[in-house]
Amino acid sequence: MLPEGLFHRKGRLDEAVPANPKTSQPETPTDPLKLHLSDTTGRNIISGYGQGYSEINGERHVAPIVVGPSHLDTAWPAEEKHDIGPQTIRRLASLQAEIVLIGTGPDHRFPAPATLRPLVEAGLGFEVMSTHAACRTYNILVAEDRKVAAALIP
């Protein structure tokens, strides 16, 4: 937290500038915000999510899924209906993604370390989070043209 009367530029505290006491605004202008239009044509995007579902390109899925920019797998192993198990982790490791997101439903539940071993052995980065957080993160990574895969339990 910056002391009162200071602003920071570019998210760095070492570039803090004093505020004008009359206007309470920075004495020097900050850099403009740059927005870029993303083209996600032909890629799987999570278009919605909620309690008990995730939506890929407008199609609602109420069962767990594995999704990547060019991959959608709805054949989730029956024995892993409410959990991420070894079969799903092995499938994720085979998708040649740079990063794997694991959405564990409405709550953040970390799988057993032995279950995640195929991802570690493949040298893949992975994050475990709630499904809603995984959906948001997935879309950001796809927009950045990253090789991402996500396993989502609604």
Side-chain angles (χ1 to χ4, degrees), residues 49-53 60 106 132 154:
Y49 56 85
Q51 186 65 32
Y53 76 94
R60 187 172 283 215
H132 291 182

Side-chain angles (χ1 to χ4, degrees), residues 13-143:
L13 293 177
D14 61 345
E15 294 183 7
V17 295
N20 182 320
K22 292 180 183 176
T23 64
S24 297
Q25 297 299 312
E27 286 184 356
T28 58
T30 58
D31 295 331
L33 176 65
K34 293 181 182 179
L35 299 176
H36 300 277
L37 183 62
S38 295
D39 181 18
T40 56
T41 306
R43 292 185 268 179
N44 290 323
I45 293 296
I46 299 172
S47 51
Y49 56 85
Q51 186 65 32
Y53 76 94
S54 52
E55 197 174 279
I56 311 299
N57 300 331
E59 184 179 334
R60 187 172 283 215
H61 298 272
V62 295
I65 59 170
V66 171
V67 63
S70 60
H71 177 84
L72 179 61
D73 186 354
T74 59
W76 195 273
E79 62 274 8
E80 297 179 11
K81 185 176 180 184
H82 300 289
D83 202 3
I84 304 278
Q87 288 182 36
T88 301
I89 295 296
R90 283 192 296 275
R91 278 195 329 219
L92 287 166
S94 72
L95 293 178
Q96 299 180 4
E98 294 171 346
I99 187 163
V100 172
L101 305 174
I102 300 172
T104 60
D107 300 315
H108 181 203
R109 294 177 288 131
F110 206 81
T115 302
L116 299 171
R117 184 167 306 283
L119 297 176
V120 174
E121 290 172 352
L124 298 175
F126 63 91
E127 290 287 335
V128 179
M129 57 190 79
S130 72
T131 295
H132 291 182
C135 290
R136 292 187 301 270
T137 304
Y138 171 88
N139 280 346
I140 291 168
L141 293 172
V142 168

